[in-house]
């Protein structure tokens, strides 16, 4: 598979972002996730394609741009759809399935048909679950930074606490990822971006 370059992915973000402000928010988040994921790649003993992880991390939230209206407001209610919207953008752009899946399979610790039915989520009923180790790592690294206003870094414990309302199985799934990949060191990313740690 031929991977897009970092500059090509950046250009894609610039093309879909509705404003400079939103571009800064989403692209910065993707770059942070990319840095954290790269850190975990360097540490894992698992066979893993580091270049694929980087590209997947940089692309994973591209669908968020489609949730902004003309006045620059984010449609929070439909935020759950950003993964499948990203998948669609990458399909329209001719990106292969393995890259599209970084968008559709990074939400929470994976969304199942059961979750979608149970929580009445407005996305096509299917399993959106990270399959490859690269998909799992991007999904996991994403949990340590949030595009809130203002953006924040999260510890593994904070994220695990957040998962509690989605059920013990989700907390456990996060625990498995945590044991598998370890926790990224957020010190340098925090110093570089100045976002608080919660
Ligand atoms: Fe993300």
């Amino acid at each position: 598979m031929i991977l897009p370059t970092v500059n090509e992915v950046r250009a894609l973000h610039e093309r879909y972002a509705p404003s400079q402000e939103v571009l800064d928010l989403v692209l910065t988040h993707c770059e942070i996730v990319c840095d954290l994921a790269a850190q975990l790649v360097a540490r894992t003993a698992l066979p893993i394609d580091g270049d694929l992880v980087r590209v997947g991390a940089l692309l994973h939230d591209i669908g968020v741009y489609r949730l902004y209206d003309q006045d620059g407001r984010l449609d929070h209610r439909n935020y759950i759809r950003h993964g499948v919207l990203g998948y669609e953008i990458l399909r329209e752009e001719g990106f292969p399935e393995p890259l599209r899946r970084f968008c559709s399979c990074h939400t929470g610790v994976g969304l199942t048909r059961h979750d979608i039915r149970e929580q009445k989520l407005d996305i096509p009923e299917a399993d959106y679950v990270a399959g490859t180790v690269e998909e799992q790592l991007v999904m996991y690294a994403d949990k340590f930074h949030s595009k809130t206003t203002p953006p924040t870094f999260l510890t593994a414990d904070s994220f695990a606490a957040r998962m509690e309302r989605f059920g013990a199985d989700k907390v456990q799934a996060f625990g498995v990822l945590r044991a598998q990949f370890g926790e990224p060191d957020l010190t340098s990313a925090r110093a570089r971006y100045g976002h608080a740690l919660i």
Side-chain angles (χ1 to χ4, degrees):
M1 178 169 50
I2 299 168
L3 297 176
T5 63
V6 169
N7 283 341
E8 284 166 346
V9 175
R10 276 218 180 100
L12 195 69
H13 275 264
E14 283 164 10
R15 197 134 45 82
Y16 281 90
S19 67
Q20 183 64 43
E21 191 189 347
V22 177
L23 175 69
D24 288 344
L25 177 73
V26 176
L27 181 56
T28 300
H29 165 75
C30 288
E31 288 174 345
I32 289 171
V33 172
C34 181
D35 287 353
L36 299 180
Q39 205 189 106
L40 298 172
V41 164
R43 214 193 287 159
T44 185
L46 295 167
I48 190 161
D49 183 339
D51 292 334
L52 180 58
V53 167
R54 279 178 180 281
V55 170
L58 290 174
L59 287 170
H60 82 277
D61 263 347
I62 194 93
V64 172
Y65 297 130
R66 287 221 162 139
L67 288 168
Y68 284 85
D69 67 15
Q70 284 184 333
D71 299 319
R73 279 182 306 233
L74 176 65
D75 180 359
H76 288 279
R77 228 164 45 91
N78 282 307
Y79 190 75
I80 194 74
R81 300 185 62 228
H82 80 279
V84 291
L85 291 172
Y87 182 100
E88 283 307 308
I89 287 177
L90 296 191
R91 189 178 55 77
E92 290 160 19
E93 293 286 341
F95 285 69
E97 173 80 9
L99 293 183
R100 297 180 218 161
R101 284 181 50 87
F102 283 102
C103 300
S104 56
C105 300
H106 81 272
T107 302
V109 289
L111 281 175
T112 63
R113 287 172 186 280
H114 178 260
D115 297 329
I116 291 164
R117 212 173 302 156
E118 192 106 306
Q119 299 170 44
K120 299 185 172 59
L121 303 176
D122 185 21
I123 53 174
E125 220 172 274
D127 289 318
Y128 302 94
V129 178
T132 64
V133 67
E134 288 84 4
E135 289 169 8
Q136 287 174 350
L137 189 52
V138 169
M139 178 182 75
Y140 178 65
D142 180 46
K143 311 293 90 105
F144 294 89
H145 184 260
S146 177
K147 301 182 293 300
T148 40
T149 311
T152 51
F153 287 99
L154 284 90
T155 64
D157 285 339
S158 317
F159 185 78
R162 263 189 197 191
M163 278 291 97
E164 275 170 20
R165 72 187 174 100
F166 297 105
D169 56 327
K170 299 296 181 190
V171 178
Q172 204 211 334
F174 181 67
V176 170
L177 292 163
R178 194 173 171 178
Q180 187 173 20
F181 296 118
E183 289 171 40
D185 182 356
L186 303 174
T187 317
S188 66
R190 280 186 63 203
R192 180 167 173 199
Y193 295 98
H195 303 160
L197 178 68
I198 57 167

